[in-house]
Amino acid sequence: MSDIALGRTTSGELVAEAELSADSTGAAAVVEAVVEAAKEHGASLLWVHGGDLAAAGFTATPGFVRLHAEHVLGVPTLTAPPPEAYGPLLARCHLGLWGHHYVDAETARPPPGCTVLALQDATGYVGMCRLWAGERRVDGPGVVPGSRTSERYLQLLVAACGVLGDGPVEVQTWGDTPDTIAAYESLGFEVVEHRRGWELRL
């Protein structure tokens, strides 16, 4: 088990995180130690990446998934949101999902080299996707609560791939449902890494 890292969930709750190494899987003493360390740091929630912690009282989550495609057909149908919409939309898109951290809606700005696409419907902005063309990498698309369907997630990814054009694409996701991952696979992506996520309320 790696050292504890502290952060804030999307709702601002203090969360401790740890990576479960292959040689510590099933080691009850290691798991107990990381739980105690999280409590000592004042965390109210513990996220663990990898392994199988069902017997230790943890709740399973979708975890981390990395997907890759050598060639994928996309259509650049979406455009960037206005600058003032970026922070509030990013803060809402991953709200309540495992593995995502708190975003200050007022100060958040797109990272250097990042292209931002936004999805709208009749109610306004409901989704966002960020991509780095130089790395041919897509950050897991996000959709606001109440609008989360695999079709919307797929629409965002198709648009991102359209911007990138033909060639290899990598997508990294945290907390996405199996239905969403299956939608990505239907586009031609393959799962190349999957680490289960675990959550424990302290």
Side-chain angles (χ1 to χ4, degrees), residues 8 23 27 38 42 46 53 55 63 86-87 91 100 124 151 153 156 167-168 173 180 183:
R8 296 279 174 185
D23 59 359
L46 173 61
L53 301 183
Y86 175 82
H100 291 278
E151 291 79 11
Y153 281 97
L156 284 159
T173 79
T180 297

Side-chain angles (χ1 to χ4, degrees), residues 8-153:
R8 296 279 174 185
T9 67
T10 56
S11 61
E13 186 175 8
L14 184 62
V15 59
E17 292 186 71
E19 186 83 25
L20 187 64
S21 60
D23 59 359
S24 63
T25 301
V30 174
V31 175
E32 184 176 328
V34 81
V35 170
E36 289 306 312
K39 290 179 179 177
E40 288 174 6
H41 282 92
S44 55
L45 194 63
L46 173 61
W47 288 343
V48 175
H49 303 247
D52 186 347
L53 301 183
F58 284 72
T59 300
T61 74
F64 169 80
V65 178
R66 182 168 61 90
L67 303 102
H68 179 85
E70 279 301 311
H71 301 281
V72 60
L73 181 62
V75 182
T77 54
L78 303 177
T79 59
E84 67 272 13
Y86 175 82
L89 182 57
L90 181 63
R92 293 177 61 218
C93 275
H94 301 294
L95 191 63
L97 295 181
W98 181 91
H100 291 278
H101 296 103
Y102 178 77
V103 171
D104 186 329
E106 294 184 4
T107 62
R109 299 291 183 270
C114 172
T115 298
V116 181
L117 304 176
L119 178 64
Q120 298 182 75
D121 66 10
T123 66
Y125 288 107
V126 295
M128 174 189 285
C129 191
R130 302 185 299 173
L131 61 105
W132 285 260
E135 304 172 33
R136 300 196 62 82
R137 177 172 60 89
V138 179
D139 189 28
V143 179
V144 303
S147 296
R148 290 173 180 159
T149 65
S150 57
E151 291 79 11
R152 285 195 172 100
Y153 281 97

